[in-house]
Amino acid sequence: SPSIVSYVINNGPRTISEATRQRVLNAIEELNYRPNVHAQKLMLASWESDLSPRQFGVVISGARSILLRPYYPRVLYGILEEAARQHMSMRFLMFMDELENPLIFNKLFHPEEISSAIIIAAGPILYTEVGLAIIDRIRERIPNLVSIGRSLPNISTVMYDLPAAIHQSTTYMLGLGHRRVAYIGTFELHIEGFRQAFLDFGLEPDPALILEIPDTNTPEHGIQKAQELLEVDANLVASRL
């Protein structure tokens, strides 16, 4: 029946036996069936339904080169794995600077196309006027938003436990006997894990080896501070000689 086919295509709301589900999927394959999106929208409107599509978008507020790092692809992998379990699909993956184009933005961010969006906070554009304006526009269109990695106003946020990670890393280095352990990063709450590790060993970190970078946290900031750290170490060696 049409209702059984609908339940299979939309993964519910009724549960269908695996045998029946497979027969429907075989028929879809044989007939080369493709749902008519426009007809679906008309039907939902006639039922006065507020059912949202089970699709979401992902926006990365960083340069494309971040996908060369091992970290962010694993985040995306986790998103896709959970989406599969929830019978959802990622409709698009876009970088925030591309959304400055109103044609692209209007094509993607529409409640009839996606029900939610995930923002991966990974670059400085997020803190610019342009980035904040894009966030506001997304929020006006899509009510279900989640930010990953950075807290954004009025948006649910998933934060990594960076203090715990830094504490674990510092504890490992101190446990090997190293005492001149440096920290380069934002202060916020992250540095507390670094300092706590030293306290656990009854030690105090060298203030000269603690270098703060801005919240924008770009690769250039890291390179600059690493160079400063090398100069500090070189000066120490020279003074000992």
Side-chain angles (χ1 to χ4, degrees), residues 6-234:
S6 176
Y7 297 150
V8 172
I9 292 173
N10 297 296
N11 293 299
R14 273 186 52 188
T15 302
I16 304 300
S17 71
E18 184 57 32
T20 301
R21 178 177 177 275
Q22 193 56 55
R23 286 203 301 274
V24 172
L25 293 177
N26 290 342
I28 287 174
E29 179 70 19
E30 182 180 344
L31 298 172
N32 200 21
Y33 171 75
R34 180 178 181 273
N36 187 317
V37 176
H38 303 290
Q40 288 177 334
K41 291 176 181 178
L42 288 173
M43 183 63 74
L44 290 175
S46 67
W47 290 342
E48 297 183 349
S49 171
D50 60 354
L51 292 175
S52 299
R54 299 188 63 80
Q55 299 187 99
F56 62 93
V58 175
V59 177
I60 300 179
S61 68
R64 290 149 187 78
S65 59
I66 71 165
L67 295 180
L68 296 175
R69 308 178 193 175
Y71 181 75
Y72 289 104
R74 289 185 65 86
V75 173
L76 288 171
Y77 173 79
I79 290 172
L80 293 172
E81 279 288 286
E82 183 59 26
R85 283 192 288 269
Q86 299 289 343
H87 302 295
M88 298 186 69
S89 59
M90 183 172 71
R91 185 171 180 84
F92 61 79
L93 170 65
M94 298 293 291
F95 290 87
M96 187 167 282
D97 58 352
E98 297 174 284
L99 300 180
E100 292 183 63
N101 185 327
L103 294 176
I104 295 177
F105 183 91
N106 290 330
K107 177 182 178 181
L108 298 176
F109 287 93
H110 198 288
E112 292 182 354
E113 300 294 336
I114 60 173
S115 61
S116 49
I118 297 172
I119 300 168
I120 299 178
I125 187 175
L126 191 65
Y127 306 100
T128 65
E129 289 186 10
V130 171
L132 293 175
I134 290 174
I135 295 295
D136 287 340
R137 291 180 64 198
I138 295 175
R139 188 164 41 202
E140 290 174 359
R141 297 278 185 92
I142 309 299
N144 302 314
L145 289 182
V146 173
S147 171
I148 296 180
R150 293 282 179 171
S151 179
L152 297 175
N154 303 315
I155 295 179
S156 299
T157 304
V158 176
M159 295 291 289
Y160 316 122
D161 195 349
L162 288 177
I166 292 171
H167 179 273
Q168 182 179 0
S169 301
T170 309
T171 297
Y172 176 75
M173 299 299 291
L174 294 173
L176 292 177
H178 300 291
R179 293 297 179 261
R180 289 181 51 75
V181 181
Y183 174 88
I184 299 176
T186 58
F187 278 11
E188 298 180 291
L189 297 175
H190 307 164
I191 197 173
E192 294 308 314
F194 178 78
R195 288 176 170 151
Q196 185 58 50
F198 272 86
L199 289 175
D200 293 344
F201 279 78
L203 302 170
E204 285 286 338
D206 185 346
L209 300 181
I210 299 176
L211 291 86
E212 181 182 15
I213 59 177
D215 288 342
T216 46
N217 195 5
T218 65
E220 289 74 23
H221 290 138
I223 292 171
Q224 177 188 348
K225 293 301 179 181
Q227 290 171 338
E228 292 179 18
L229 187 63
L230 290 173
E231 292 173 5
V232 168
D233 207 47

